[in-house]
Each structure stands twice: as C-alpha cells, then as structure tokens.
Amino acid sequence: MIFSDDFVFGGATAAYQIEGAATEGGRGKSIWDVFSHTEGRVVNGDTGDVAIDHYHRFKDDVALMAELGFKAYRYSVSWPRIQPDGTGKALEAGLDFYSRLTDELLGAGIDPWITLYHWDLPQALQDAGGWPNRDTAQRFADFSAIVHEHLGDRVKHWITLNEPFVSSFVGYAAGRHAPGLRDPQAALKSVHHLLLGHGLALQALRAQNVADIGITLNLYSVQAASDSAVDTDAARRVDGFQNRLFLDPVLKGRYPQDMLHDTAEFGWLPAVQEGDLELISAPIDLLGVNYYTKYLITGDPEHPDLVGERTGQLDSPYPGAAHAREVRHGKPLTDIGWEIDPDGLHDVLTRLKREYPAVPLVITENGAAFDDELSEDGAVHDQRRVDYVREHLAACARAIEDGVPLKGYFLWSVFDNFEWAEGYAKRFGAVHVDYQTQVRTPKDSALWYSRTMRSRSLDQ
Ligand code: BGC
Ligand code: BGC
C-alpha cells in the first residue's frame, strides 16, 4: 500500500501535555493546572508543571522530529500563556515562544499545524462560568485572532477546537476532566458554546484570510450489540452524543432532532440563539478526525460482557442515557483498556463520505497507550504499537481506495506525555521519555513510522 506524495504524515501533541514551565513568562493558570493540583483528580497526583519540559527543550525536540523524518507537526497553543486571564492584552513572552517554535519547525522542514484549543481554558474564565457561559465563545474568538495575527504569516493549517465532546461531557458531565463538574445542563450548554466559539473563531480568522482551517472531533464507530430494540436505541443515543451532536451542526447546520428531543429535559435549548448555527456551519477546509476505538453498545444493564471500567466513563458523560453501556467485542486491548479495532476507523471515514457533505478529512490523532519499558539493549520494543499504527494506516488506505477524501495522518503522540486524568502512567508516545532525566529514546514504533513516512508505504 502506497500513499500519494501529497498525503501528509505527521505527529501531534498538546501544550499542557508536554510544555511544563507552568509559571514562566507570566503564564496564568488553566483549568488543568487547578484540576491537576486538586487531590484525587489525577492518578498519582501528577501535574503538567514540568511535563516533558518541552518549553525549554523545543529545539532538541524539533531536531529529533526532523531526524525521524516528520514533515508535519500538530501542536496547540496554551491560552493562559498568551492571555493569563483569558482576555485582554497578549503576553509577549507567550507569543514569542510559539513564534520561535514555529520558526524552528519551518527551519527543519516541518509544516506547522496549530490547534487553538486543546482543553486548557484560563481558570479566570472558568471562574466567570466557563464554557456554559456564552461569553467564553467570544473570548475564544478574540484569543484565536491574536494568535493568528502573530503566526498566520507562517502557519497555514489551523484547527479551532480539539474534541469538544471531551471538553463538554467529560469535563462538565462526567467530571473526570477539568473543571470536574457533574452538571448535565452545563455540559450541554458547553457543547453549544464550544461550537459557537469555533464559529466565531472561524469568522475572525477568515477576516484575516486564513486559507486552511477546520475543527477536530473525536469520532467513534458505534454499533449495537444485537438488533434488539433496546440495544439499537442505546447505540443510537451513543452515536448521537459522540458523533452526530457535533458533526450535524458543523456540517449540516442543525442539531439532530432525536438528540434535541432526548436532551430537552436539561433545559439547554435556549442557549441556541438565532444565527448561531449559521456561524457554526460556515464552510471549513478540513475536518480533523481523532480515532482511537470502536464502541459496541447495549441497553441491557445485565449484559454479560459489560466493560467494567469503561461503563462508568461511558454512561456518566451522557445525560439521560444511563442505559447505554459498552460491551467488549473480543478484540485485543491497549494498556489503557481501549479495544483495538482498525475497521472502526474505516467505518468512521466511509460513514462521513456517505452521510455528510464532502469535506477534506485529516486524521489529526490516532495512536495507542502501552506500558512500554526501556530494555537492557537501551531500546523500547513496542511491537504492539507498530502493529496498531500499521493496521490503522491500512484502514486509511482502504478508505482512500473507497473514495474518501483523506489527506493526512497525525500520530498521537510524538512523545510520551501527561495523559490527562491518567497522569504519566499511560504512555502514548513514539518517543519514550524518562520523566526523571528527560532523556528521549525513539521506540521501535518511531523507527518504523520514520521508515513509513519516508517510503510512504506499509510494505516494510
Ligand atoms: C477519555 C479521554 C480521552 C478520550 C479519547 C475519553 O473517553 O476519557 O481521556 O482523551 O476519550 O478520545
Ligand atoms: C486527546 C489527547 C489524548 C489522547 C489519548 C485525545 O482525546 O486529544 O490529548 O492524550 O486522546 O487519550
């Protein structure tokens, strides 16, 4: 299988997961600083205070990526590094950091892709209500305009939001992510205000002549565990929350009727004001797809194959859908407990082609967590990650053959990093990081991916 010359191969990271330097340059606190410093929120009490110290080591990190043959890199801008309180004048030190990082990438022949929001809302904006507060959407658009004004001359690819599903439902309904609330109405209002923020940022960047801009959604292949009415209805709801609640407003200009009906009891509908959906559905140049796993769903709480540890995660984020549960479908698991199912990626991509207006697609994240260890020979033999990435790239190649306009693939992640509520306990990197010494060691998967990026072929 060969990928065409214009297919983009890259790697992705996010600011809070790698930068560290939490108080440098006047940086303010984000909801993740506060959350990770709250006892009991993150495994082992880990925080992003130091992370992989990328803020100080970015030159070496870029050099390593160049050596490995990366030609594209997706990174995010820390909002509180630019505006400590989420509003007002931008900090020179913050803008300067991203400017130097961007120049370093360009100098190394790596195309920069920026994500404007990867979950680190300034705490001051959370104190003012956070995403359930409509004003946050405008603050985000203002922030986006500042960043684009400074980097738009050099950065050509822009993503507004990363995974608004996670920001809203995991942060405001399940409470497993910052800000750690369990309030269905707040979560649903957040969905709308995040999407509105996307629409307003899009408008602001269009005014600055941005050419390539989109949004990244975490999409899942969702199937019913049986064709019983109870299971198919549970699967419909999960598909609604995970996929359609975000895809439909962005690509079709409306929320799905069944979801409006199911969630009306939470009283969030007045948040949707006249004109909002026009902003939200303004044309985008690319849709970013993050894919990790596929869900097999049952509505039967007594189902014998219920996924223990995922059930709590799955049912709590879905307001009013308490009887939608994930069951195992007999595939191998990664070490974060997610089932490995590359066919699900093919399902997601072909479904987009079938059911939505055409838009260029990019896999902005795909990858796996494994409990990697350094071997005596000094290497990390993560064959399971090699297999995971190879199989998912093969699914991409099949989707392209089936006519899906897929333009690129970004591996999550380049480096081991702060895995949110899992702290440093879960490793997603192609490059191993020793958190004591900050030594970077490319794993076998990094070397394999390097050969793949260079040969554009999976046959090696
Ligand atoms: C997890 C997040 C993760 C996301 C990946 C969620 O269910 O809670 O930690 O980042 O899935 O899409
Ligand atoms: C997020 C990443 C996260 C990854 C693995 C995605 O949901 O965008 O920040 O590390 O999944 O959970």
Side-chain angles (χ1 to χ4, degrees), residues 166-310:
V166 177
S167 302
S168 54
F169 290 114
V170 184
Y172 289 88
R176 282 188 301 106
H177 278 190
L181 301 181
R182 292 190 160 217
D183 176 347
Q185 186 189 62
L188 286 156
K189 282 184 175 168
S190 298
V191 169
H192 184 65
H193 295 148
L194 280 153
L195 292 175
L196 181 62
H198 156 76
L200 290 169
L202 198 60
Q203 188 181 50
L205 268 63
R206 289 289 187 218
Q208 296 181 14
N209 293 320
V210 73
D212 196 27
I213 182 165
I215 183 171
T216 280
L217 302 178
N218 52 317
L219 302 178
Y220 297 80
S221 166
V222 179
Q223 279 180 10
S226 79
D227 48 23
S228 74
V230 147
D231 286 356
T232 46
D233 195 56
R236 173 191 62 77
R237 284 193 306 252
V238 171
D239 178 48
F241 280 112
Q242 292 287 171
N243 300 319
R244 293 181 290 115
L245 193 55
F246 299 89
L247 283 170
D248 288 21
V250 170
L251 295 176
K252 296 181 174 171
R254 56 174 188 263
Y255 286 106
Q257 271 310 324
D258 61 322
M259 297 306 294
L260 291 178
H261 175 266
D262 284 4
T263 58
E265 59 174 304
F266 298 106
W268 69 287
L269 295 183
V272 185
Q273 295 183 11
E274 215 184 306
D276 289 358
L277 281 158
E278 276 145 46
L279 284 168
I280 292 170
S281 62
I284 48 178
D285 308 301
L286 67 113
L287 176 69
V289 175
N290 290 358
Y291 175 84
Y292 288 92
T293 192
K294 165 168 162 177
Y295 290 150
L296 194 62
I297 298 297
T298 181
D300 171 9
E302 309 295 332
H303 195 287
D305 302 321
L306 281 189
V307 178
E309 82 274 24
R310 288 289 293 171

Side-chain angles (χ1 to χ4, degrees), residues 396-416:
C396 290
R398 273 188 286 126
I400 293 170
E401 274 168 28
D402 294 338
V404 171
L406 181 64
K407 308 297 180 194
Y409 176 95
F410 288 76
L411 176 67
W412 184 271
S413 182
V414 184
F415 307 97
D416 288 338

Side-chain angles (χ1 to χ4, degrees), residues 131 224 234:
W131 286 110

Side-chain angles (χ1 to χ4, degrees), residues 5 47 79 269 284 318 361 364 391 428:
D5 285 344
T47 74
W79 187 347
L269 295 183
I284 48 178
Y318 304 148
L361 306 177
T364 38
E391 287 165 15
F428 271 92

